[in-house]
Amino acid sequence: MTSLTPEGPHPSPGPRKRYRIGFDIGGTFTDFALHDAETGELHVWKRLSTGADPSVGALAGIEDVLRLAGASLADVGQVVHGTTIGANTVIERKGAETALLVTEGFRDLLIMQRPARYSTYDLWFDKHEPLVPRHRVVPVRERLAHDGTVVRELDENELRSALEGLRDKGIEAVAVSLLHSYAASDHETRVGKLVSQVLPEASLSLSHEVAPIIGEYERTSTTVVNAYIQPAFRHYLDSLQGALAGRGFTGQVFINQGNGGLSTPAEVVRLPIRALESGPAAGVSMAAWIGRAHGRGDLVAFDMGGTTAKACLIEGGEPKMERVFDVDQTLMRVGTGLPVVTPSVDLIEIGAGGGSIARVGLGIVEVGPESAGAEPGPICYGGGGTRPTVTDANVVLGYLNPDFFLGGRMSLDVEGARAVIGREIGTPLGLDDGGAAWGVHEAVTSNMEHAIRAVSIERGRDPRDLTLVAFGGAGPTHASRLARNLGIGEVIFPAAAGIASAVGLLQAAPRVDLPRTFVSLLDDEGVAARLTAELAELAAEVNHLLDNVAPGAQRSIVYRADMQYVGQGHVVEVEVPRCAEDELAGALRERFEADYAGMYGYSYPDAQAQITSITVVGTAPPAAFDLPPNTATGGETASRPVYFPELSGYADCPVYRRDDLPAGTRIEGPAVVEDGQCAILLLPGDEATVDDHRNVLARIGGHAEGRG
């Protein structure tokens, strides 16, 4: 049979330099991790993000962490970046002036959307406003059938006239999504050439390149989002690379994608939708990596930063993936945003972070999704914030050390936070300051509990069978309480948990996911030959793209097919077996039956099965990286009053510095373990140990029995 793993010559990698930097820009903080390949040292840094221009804070932080290591950008071989610029551009509606070209008769596609309603009984329900208003949607006279045959030829003269009418409207980007272009791209390609001729300054996104899949609304939405954010990505990455080069950097820049894999800036600028979940995906990759290192394959990654909290299910050591996710959800409800079709880790994200604003509503404490961000930030930051936040509550409760925030580089105003929490929360509810702050902490923890239930129970997994990996600047402070509420018996607090996404960037691997529509009954004549040929074609493109990121590296290529019984609406993803062509259909049917039965508990051996799409996934090995060994020899233990409702309020609590704890140290809760980026809170009855790399593994009180 035709080989499904085309091999070709790969250029040799260039000379290696000593350092690699990973940095992740969040809504409140930007995190940095610098790895020294010669000594194995890991230098970390954290600073407030600069909202008006995120690159300002990023470049300043890179200089800070290099100064910490006594190095310069000339010594750095790689800079790996996780960014939220794409999602923020959509949420803030600050993207390009975009025009959309669609098949005549489909001009209202973005307005109609899908008939689903996320709030069934809301009479004032409004769907998302399209990114492209109707007056900038241009109908194109042409038509293809579902199999790609031409029903109506493209009228280029009429199209040219319509495009000339857009010249004076300030169009910066053009999205083209013609009906059934996934089956035949000729019409879209010709339209794209005309756009380039008439509007040469506008960026161009063609749906058969961005999302070659069935589903006209989802494909069009994806193409529009890609076009809408493309100029912002190009400007940002060009500016960043130019600024780095101006400071002496001569190495490579890589961008993390939503699938957790690395890509080049050029490829991300071409298809920026693949980097919409860039930063959060890096944290999930780190959690999976830490879990595998400790022999835990079934996990929940829990990332709580300054603005949002994210949760993702990891099974068998690999994060759950999704093909369609929503950008800019309404009140964080699934199905309420703009659908984007691109491989991404299956995250639940809610407005619950350290900067989430607390208030009293209907006699209870409500938290989020509105955030104080980095500017003005929580009250305790002293930046002009006036509304109480989760961070304010945590410092009042004693969970955060006001003199050791960011390693002592920033002092927190405890009394200012206490006064506002008392006035805004305590007085309306008749609570003292501690009780009011605890109400805020408990409310946001409850919100996050719902998110973790969504990624575990709603996906058929009992959270009591999972290990929680907690990270982010605020995650370790809430994780033990969260685990106790969910019945989770074990929590892993990774070393450098407060900047885990930046660390995750350092161990991320190059990855490419290429999907394609492939509709065929499994027993159709010639299906095996066509399937083999198209998988080989996709694999060749995957290898070409990996050459740009990891020239000369070994590759792992996986082939997958979405399958269903004829007449069903949902699909099961099946790995395509490696076998002779004449055995492929039978082997694929067997695997589909087994996977279907594993998911639903039964199968239909007499029903017809069909393939709806195929995907080729290629990965290359990550750069060599490990957490530095734990060489601590011990240190003094401090104490301070910390609030525990189990102990009826404030109690004197031991406080440890993580960097002082030797491997094998055992800690009994209640306790606080702090470093320069986060604070781990252990509750009464919890027990924790420190490992050879400063990771802290905690057994949660009341749930320790029976876990391996």
Side-chain angles (χ1 to χ4, degrees):
M1 75 184 271
T2 303
S3 171
L4 293 184
T5 316
E7 297 293 342
H10 305 303
S12 300
R16 295 183 61 185
K17 295 191 177 183
R18 179 170 178 175
Y19 297 103
R20 298 170 65 238
I21 294 176
F23 74 98
D24 173 46
I25 300 177
T28 305
F29 285 97
T30 300
D31 301 334
F32 305 85
L34 183 146
H35 182 240
D36 186 335
E38 291 186 9
T39 66
E41 287 182 280
L42 183 68
H43 302 277
V44 299
W45 196 255
K46 196 179 189 78
R47 60 167 294 142
L48 287 168
S49 298
T50 49
D53 185 352
S55 64
V56 172
L59 291 167
I62 287 174
E63 292 178 348
D64 290 339
V65 77
L66 285 169
R67 192 178 304 113
L68 188 67
S72 71
L73 268 171
D75 304 317
V76 177
Q78 287 183 2
V79 169
V80 189
H81 181 24
T83 175
T84 58
I85 186 173
N88 290 345
T89 298
V90 174
I91 292 169
E92 296 170 9
R93 290 297 196 271
K94 293 182 178 179
E97 291 290 311
T98 305
L100 170 63
L101 277 58
V102 297
T103 300
E104 187 177 59
F106 288 79
R107 189 177 184 184
D108 295 318
L109 187 62
L110 293 183
I111 298 172
M112 295 172 65
Q113 302 179 23
R114 292 296 186 197
R117 294 171 62 91
Y118 68 84
S119 187
T120 307
Y121 302 106
D122 184 356
L123 299 180
W124 290 270
F125 167 83
D126 286 318
K127 294 186 178 181
H128 253 297
E129 283 292 321
L131 296 178
V132 180
R134 193 176 191 272
H135 68 269
R136 293 208 303 265
V137 180
V138 178
V140 178
R141 184 166 294 183
E142 66 83 42
R143 187 68 178 259
L144 298 179
H146 72 280
D147 59 358
T149 57
V150 177
V151 176
R152 174 189 289 177
E153 260 299 341
L154 173 65
D155 188 332
E156 293 192 12
N157 291 330
E158 182 179 291
L159 175 59
R160 182 181 295 274
S161 177
L163 291 174
E164 289 172 348
L166 294 175
R167 274 180 176 162
D168 300 327
K169 294 186 178 180
I171 297 300
E172 301 170 284
V174 177
V176 182
S177 183
L178 304 182
L179 196 65
H180 302 308
S181 60
Y182 59 85
S185 61
D186 178 62
H187 280 193
E188 272 199 358
T189 301
R190 290 163 59 191
V191 169
K193 289 180 179 178
L194 280 173
V195 171
S196 298
Q197 293 170 12
V198 180
L199 301 169
E201 301 301 319
S203 63
L204 178 65
S205 296
L206 304 177
S207 76
H208 74 270
E209 296 177 347
V210 176
I213 47 87
I214 288 177
E216 67 274 20
Y217 170 55
E218 289 78 8
R219 177 162 49 86
T220 302
S221 174
T222 303
T223 308
V224 167
V225 171
N226 192 80
Y228 187 75
I229 66 177
Q230 195 171 41
F233 257 93
R234 179 179 290 110
H235 174 74
Y236 172 72
L237 292 178
D238 285 350
S239 297
L240 178 64
Q241 292 182 94
L244 290 172
R247 289 164 168 79
F249 178 67
T250 59
Q252 300 168 298
V253 175
F254 293 128
I255 309 299
N256 200 56
Q257 304 171 101
N259 62 9
L262 303 183
S263 189
T264 62
E267 185 62 21
V268 168
V269 166
R270 187 177 76 88
L271 294 172
I273 54 155
R274 293 183 178 173
L276 281 176
E277 292 291 342
S278 173
V284 173
S285 298
M286 185 282 308
W289 178 67
I290 286 288
R292 291 192 298 267
H294 288 86
R296 274 72 165 173
D298 295 338
L299 316 158
V300 172
F302 168 57
D303 176 4
M304 183 181 179
T307 306
T308 60
K310 283 81 68 176
C312 178
L313 177 64
I314 298 169
E315 292 185 299
E318 296 296 330
K320 293 285 286 183
M321 302 291 289
E322 61 181 349
R323 295 182 185 84
V324 183
F325 68 93
D326 294 338
V327 185
D328 192 16
Q329 293 179 351
T330 300
L331 298 178
M332 303 293 173
R333 297 181 184 176
V334 175
T336 63
L338 301 171
V340 171
V341 182
T342 187
S344 178
V345 294
D346 186 10
L347 283 167
I348 294 289
E349 186 170 7
I350 63 172
S356 294
I357 293 172
R359 61 199 171 277
V360 173
L362 300 177
I364 61 173
V365 179
E366 299 176 348
V367 179
E370 186 181 2
S371 173
E375 300 169 349
I379 296 161
C380 61
Y381 287 5
T386 59
R387 302 170 69 185
T389 68
V390 172
T391 297
D392 294 313
N394 286 340
V395 74
V396 169
L397 293 168
Y399 301 158
L400 303 179
N401 185 343
D403 299 320
F404 193 59
F405 197 71
L406 298 185
R409 290 184 287 116
M410 181 176 175
S411 296
L412 301 181
D413 180 5
V414 182
E415 294 310 314
R418 189 189 312 277
V420 176
I421 285 178
R423 183 179 70 244
E424 300 292 330
I425 306 296
T427 299
L429 298 178
L431 300 172
D432 61 22
D433 295 344
W438 168 250
V440 174
H441 182 93
E442 186 178 34
V444 76
T445 302
S446 177
N447 292 346
M448 295 181 293
E449 182 181 337
H450 294 312
I452 292 183
R453 289 183 185 276
V455 300
S456 57
I457 295 172
E458 292 182 16
R459 285 153 176 76
R461 293 303 305 262
D462 188 335
R464 294 173 295 183
D465 298 331
L466 305 172
T467 295
L468 189 70
V469 182
F471 52 99
T477 305
H478 292 260
S480 291
R481 179 73 59 188
L482 186 60
R484 187 168 294 203
N485 292 350
L486 291 162
I488 294 175
E490 182 180 58
V491 180
I492 298 176
F493 301 95
I499 54 131
S501 289
V503 174
L505 292 168
L506 293 176
Q507 56 83 41
R511 173 169 173 154
V512 176
D513 293 59
L514 287 186
R516 176 182 292 180
T517 292
F518 183 98
V519 180
S520 177
L521 293 174
L522 198 54
D523 54 9
D524 276 354
E525 184 176 354
V527 65
R530 289 195 300 112
L531 179 60
T532 298
E534 295 208 26
L535 287 171
E537 186 179 318
L538 283 175
E541 178 64 14
V542 165
N543 273 290
H544 171 71
L545 293 172
L546 285 174
D547 282 341
N548 297 329
V549 187
Q554 295 295 316
R555 284 45 182 316
S556 173
I557 306 292
V558 177
Y559 311 96
R560 293 173 179 156
D562 283 349
M563 299 186 64
Q564 62 187 186
Y565 290 115
V566 174
Q568 290 187 330
H570 296 282
V571 298
V572 174
E573 186 181 69
V574 178
E575 185 171 335
V576 178
R578 306 295 183 93
C579 59
E581 189 174 287
D582 58 354
E583 300 173 354
L584 183 57
L588 190 54
R589 173 75 191 220
E590 288 182 12
R591 186 161 292 183
F592 169 63
E593 297 279 2
D595 290 354
Y596 190 98
M599 182 175 292
Y600 297 110
Y602 55 87
S603 62
Y604 297 101
D606 297 329
Q608 279 190 309
Q610 67 178 12
I611 305 170
T612 61
S613 67
I614 55 176
T615 301
V616 174
V617 180
T619 56
F625 173 76
D626 200 357
L627 293 170
N630 185 349
T631 58
T633 57
E636 295 182 1
T637 302
S639 65
R640 65 171 177 262
V642 177
Y643 190 97
F644 296 98
E646 298 91 339
L647 303 179
S648 302
Y650 287 96
D652 197 48
C653 177
V655 179
Y656 304 88
R657 293 285 171 86
R658 192 200 295 234
D659 289 345
D660 292 338
L661 299 176
T665 300
R666 299 182 64 85
I667 302 170
E668 294 186 0
V672 175
V673 180
E674 58 189 21
D675 57 32
Q677 293 79 41
C678 68
I680 298 169
L681 179 68
L682 298 175
L683 306 183
D686 295 347
E687 296 180 358
T689 57
V690 182
D691 75 1
D692 294 338
H693 294 281
R694 293 193 178 91
N695 302 300
V696 175
L697 284 70
R699 298 282 185 170
I700 302 305
H703 300 280
E705 293 300 321
R707 295 190 59 86

